[in-house]
Amino acid sequence: MQASRHAAPTSLPIGSDADLAWVRQQVRQAAAELGFGLVQQTKLVTAASELARNTLVHGGGGHVEITPLGLAASSGLRLAFVDTGPGIRDLDQAMTDGYTSGGGLGLGMSGAKRLVHEFEVDSRPGEGTTVTVTAWATAVPPSRPGP
């Protein structure tokens, strides 16, 4: 079994446009410290920016948890965007390129998914949404063998 190093997450509020800028800055700094290259940093910051904006605009605000990850020779960053807004009624539709509920290009969630290695959405209508993404600076760690 591989050794795992998980640092405590940093939680940042998402309640204003100023918070969006702060989230982008903190994600870029954390990615740089973990050894992400410039292109990898840009992809992750782009995904984070879109997901933070969704948290603010569609979820009514919330927070992001930024967690540095380490597995053997791999280092990564996990971002969990959490809100207690209305939730996503039709997740399949929301993940479809071109679908928008707010007048944008409709590439937000699906575009963010393409920019990271792992992407997960937990949404319950009336309760809120958590979107968790993970990107790896080095090789993606192998899957753990099953039982």
Side-chain angles (χ1 to χ4, degrees), residues 8 13 25 38 45 111 138 140:
Q25 181 181 3
L38 185 57
V45 169
T138 52
V140 177

Side-chain angles (χ1 to χ4, degrees), residues 31-110:
E33 289 172 1
L34 288 166
F36 281 69
L38 185 57
V39 171
Q40 294 169 306
Q41 289 175 39
T42 301
K43 286 180 178 182
L44 184 57
V45 169
T46 300
S49 182
E50 179 58 40
L51 296 172
R53 179 160 295 287
N54 284 355
T55 300
L56 178 62
V57 172
H58 301 293
H63 69 277
V64 61
E65 293 177 3
I66 302 172
T67 308
L69 303 174
L71 290 170
S74 300
S75 60
L77 199 57
R78 177 171 296 133
L79 309 174
F81 296 86
V82 181
D83 70 61
T84 55
I88 301 170
R89 293 194 191 285
D90 186 339
L91 186 55
D92 289 335
Q93 185 179 41
M95 292 300 298
T96 301
D97 284 348
Y99 172 76
T100 179
S101 62
L105 296 176
L107 297 172
M109 296 256 295
S110 60

